[in-house]
Amino acid sequence: MQTTPLLRRLQAIATPTDEEREVLASLSGATRQLRPNEDIARVGEQPSVVCLMLEGIACRYKISADGKRQIMSFHLPGDMPDLNTLFVHTMDHNFGALVPTTVITVPHDKMRGILVRYPRIAHLLWRETLIDAAVYREWIVMRDRPAYARVAHLFCELFLRMQVIGLSKDLSCPLPLTQLQMGDALGLSDVHVNRTLQELRAEQLIRLEGGTLTILDWEGLNYAGEFDSLYLHLKRAA
Amino acid sequence: MQTTPLLRRLQAIATPTDEEREVLASLSGATRQLRPNEDIARVGEQPSVVCLMLEGIACRYKISADGKRQIMSFHLPGDMPDLNTLFVHTMDHNFGALVPTTVITVPHDKMRGILVRYPRIAHLLWRETLIDAAVYREWIVMRDRPAYARVAHLFCELFLRMQVIGLSKDLSCPLPLTQLQMGDALGLSDVHVNRTLQELRAEQLIRLEGGTLTILDWEGLNYAGEFDSLYLHLKRAA
DNA sequence: CGAAGTGTTGAAGCAAATCAATTTTCGTGG
DNA sequence: CCACGAAAATTGATTTGCTTCAACACTTCG
């Protein structure tokens, strides 16, 4: 049942046939355990495998000239974040774990074989990479808004993404990120993330403790974050 | 020779075979002329055609709650910016012309036929959409830097992209954008774009007049913009 | 030739960064 | 189980790059 997260994820954004589900369910490869801040691939490398996330949280990031880390996306179980390395061979960014994380690595050759034999799976995965791009676009927009909206937006997005892979319970989901990590993703200092979290708590929109996010007011949080889930292209809404 | 820009663009990022070049060169569809600020597709729509840009400059953008326009990407001749609508059917953003622009529209069915018959073309175009995503990632990072670096970065990117499609001459290329349009793409006010342009001119890095950008100091501009062209994944460097 | 869009300049205000402690939490070994 | 050190969270004070507001000048073109 290793690949359950992948199927959950793909069924959230598309409608694979039984055969396709079977092929994807049988995806296998070396399992790899990563510790927080351990990298999976770095700028300049040319990976020969793609990762399937099973557990944990990973991110893509770049390091600026002044040493600041910019997180460009978060990746959750079920994601295949480096599918792009099949066609864009050289990493233009880093990819690493933020918390203890488990992935399986599938050789490029094997993936390519599947794409050729099952064009519909290729299209499914193409769709997945396009939704990835849609998330980037939303982040470009979202990161131009005030801190309050940015943090709210991030929580809305992560909650929905956790929900479709079955990791939420009611209005709670795991969110074991530090304020520094959130800041690097939101383009905010950790200090300001902290102050903003306090605002969101004071407004009774969220609770965040012990690595668990609880949304107290979904509508209110959506409004605060100017959040519209359309860009996630999920088949069903929350 | 309508599709020349497309071939130029694809040859800048990949190596199509003669047959593939021929198929792509024969791509045809209705020609459409667009005036500045005329939209090609809007949020919520489900286009049934994809555009191939022949001339001009288009952009993807969203309008925020407060009415601000956020430009998420620019598109130049040779780009097929809404290839994504083949697999992600509903537009989550707007797509429109910024200056007088010519496109041809190719029906989805026709494109799908080509993708099925020529898997290598599918992979080529997939690569194209992945590079699009790489540009989004870079923009997320770039937009967190000071205004001076952002403007410099934009000019470096646009110059290289113009160059690979044959629209540059020496270190000059067309750049008929207003300061407001640049501001919407950079997350800066038009006022601040103006002041920043003056700095770049004062530093003898660029000239920008009459819709033409001239780079006076490529190295200096790269440094100012913390620009590294890796993310564009061009086969040859500048 | 006048109107609209674009570019330019100046002054004031503000959201968030930065700098600098201090407190709390948490993992780990004694 | 507690003590310890390191990481994370929190608080306060100061600084700053950019926005906003407000004019005004220039260009372009019907």
Side-chain angles (χ1 to χ4, degrees):
Chain A
M1 300 313 288
Q2 271 200 318
T3 56
T4 304
L6 174 63
L7 291 182
R8 284 235 177 86
R9 167 73 191 147
L10 292 178
Q11 287 180 94
I13 62 163
T15 315
T17 64
D18 286 346
E19 184 192 26
E20 287 155 13
R21 288 166 47 94
E22 206 172 307
V23 170
L24 292 169
S26 67
L27 255 194
S28 62
T31 299
R32 198 171 154 198
Q33 306 273 354
L34 296 133
R35 294 193 283 177
N37 299 317
E38 192 175 344
D39 282 334
I40 296 168
R42 294 220 176 95
V43 170
E45 293 180 2
Q46 304 202 335
S48 59
V49 297
V50 297
C51 286
L52 166 57
M53 300 246 336
L54 294 184
E55 217 183 327
I57 303 181
C59 73
R60 301 168 189 274
Y61 69 97
K62 297 192 186 189
I63 303 292
S64 290
D66 60 358
K68 272 207 310 198
R69 173 177 63 175
Q70 295 280 353
I71 293 178
M72 286 127 21
S73 63
F74 289 120
H75 291 283
L76 310 182
D79 287 353
M80 298 191 69
D82 50 6
L83 215 45
N84 53 336
T85 60
L86 279 172
F87 301 108
V88 178
H89 310 293
T90 305
M91 291 291 292
D92 58 31
H93 60 279
N94 305 291
F95 177 51
L98 290 170
V99 301
T101 294
T102 309
V103 303
I104 60 178
T105 58
V106 184
H108 276 185
D109 291 343
K110 195 177 206 171
M111 281 306 301
R112 274 191 243 276
I114 292 174
L115 298 185
V116 170
R117 276 173 64 92
Y118 304 95
R120 267 187 45 109
I121 290 184
H123 294 173
L124 195 83
L125 294 176
W126 192 344
R127 176 177 162 88
E128 169 78 3
T129 64
L130 290 169
I131 293 175
D132 249 40
V135 175
Y136 297 140
R137 285 195 296 265
E138 181 69 12
W139 278 38
I140 290 175
V141 173
M142 167 275 268
R143 287 179 52 144
D144 230 59
R145 299 207 268 247
Y148 186 73
R150 283 189 234 185
V151 178
H153 189 287
L154 179 66
F155 289 165
C156 290
E157 175 181 316
L158 287 180
F159 175 76
L160 279 189
R161 290 175 59 194
M162 288 285 187
Q163 186 178 251
V164 299
I165 53 174
L167 293 184
S168 68
K169 207 182 96 181
D170 301 323
L171 284 172
S172 290
C173 71
L175 196 70
L177 298 174
T178 68
Q179 295 175 4
L180 183 64
Q181 289 168 335
M182 294 186 226
D184 287 345
L186 295 169
L188 295 171
S189 67
D190 52 347
V191 172
H192 206 64
V193 168
N194 183 285
R195 294 191 223 272
T196 307
L197 284 176
Q198 291 177 50
E199 282 187 72
L200 289 170
R201 285 193 265 245
E203 297 287 336
Q204 295 288 312
L205 295 177
I206 59 151
R207 202 158 53 217
L208 179 59
E209 48 185 17
T212 297
L213 170 70
T214 301
I215 294 173
L216 301 175
D217 176 358
W218 176 250
E219 290 300 328
L221 194 63
N222 273 256
Y223 182 76
E226 292 180 39
F227 182 81
D228 177 345
S229 68
L230 175 61
Y231 75 98
L232 291 173
H233 296 281
L234 302 173
K235 285 197 309 188
R236 54 189 166 206
Chain B
M1 301 312 287
Q2 270 201 319
T3 55
T4 304
L6 174 64
L7 291 182
R8 284 233 178 86
R9 167 72 192 149
L10 292 178
Q11 286 179 96
I13 60 164
T15 314
T17 64
D18 286 346
E19 184 193 25
E20 287 154 11
R21 289 167 44 93
E22 206 172 306
V23 171
L24 292 169
S26 67
L27 255 193
S28 62
T31 301
R32 197 170 156 198
Q33 306 274 352
L34 296 135
R35 294 193 282 177
N37 298 317
E38 192 176 343
D39 283 333
I40 296 167
R42 293 220 176 95
V43 170
E45 291 179 4
Q46 305 204 335
S48 59
V49 296
V50 298
C51 284
L52 166 57
M53 299 245 336
L54 293 185
E55 218 183 327
I57 303 180
C59 73
R60 300 168 190 273
Y61 69 97
K62 298 192 187 190
I63 304 292
S64 289
D66 60 357
K68 273 206 311 200
R69 174 177 64 176
Q70 295 280 355
I71 292 177
M72 285 128 20
S73 64
F74 289 120
H75 292 283
L76 309 182
D79 287 354
M80 298 190 68
D82 49 6
L83 216 45
N84 54 337
T85 60
L86 279 172
F87 301 108
V88 177
H89 308 293
T90 304
M91 292 291 291
D92 58 30
H93 59 279
N94 305 290
F95 176 51
L98 290 170
V99 301
T101 294
T102 308
V103 303
I104 59 177
T105 57
V106 184
H108 276 184
D109 291 345
K110 195 178 205 170
M111 281 308 299
R112 273 190 243 276
I114 292 174
L115 298 186
V116 170
R117 277 173 65 93
Y118 304 95
R120 269 188 43 110
I121 289 184
H123 294 173
L124 195 83
L125 294 176
W126 191 345
R127 177 176 162 89
E128 169 76 5
T129 64
L130 290 169
I131 293 175
D132 248 41
V135 176
Y136 297 140
R137 285 194 295 267
E138 181 68 13
W139 278 38
I140 290 174
V141 174
M142 169 276 267
R143 287 181 50 144
D144 230 59
R145 299 207 269 249
Y148 186 74
R150 283 188 235 186
V151 178
H153 190 287
L154 179 65
F155 290 164
C156 290
E157 174 180 317
L158 287 179
F159 175 76
L160 279 188
R161 290 175 58 194
M162 287 285 186
Q163 186 177 255
V164 299
I165 52 174
L167 293 184
S168 69
K169 207 181 94 178
D170 301 324
L171 283 172
S172 290
C173 71
L175 196 70
L177 298 174
T178 68
Q179 295 176 2
L180 184 62
Q181 290 169 335
M182 295 186 222
D184 288 344
L186 295 169
L188 296 171
S189 66
D190 53 347
V191 172
H192 206 63
V193 169
N194 184 286
R195 295 191 223 271
T196 307
L197 284 175
Q198 291 177 50
E199 282 187 71
L200 288 170
R201 285 193 264 244
E203 297 286 338
Q204 296 288 313
L205 295 176
I206 59 151
R207 202 157 55 217
L208 179 59
E209 46 186 18
T212 297
L213 169 72
T214 301
I215 294 173
L216 301 176
D217 177 358
W218 176 249
E219 290 300 327
L221 195 63
N222 274 255
Y223 182 77
E226 294 180 39
F227 182 81
D228 177 345
S229 68
L230 176 60
Y231 75 97
L232 291 173
H233 297 279
L234 303 173
K235 284 196 309 187
R236 50 185 171 211

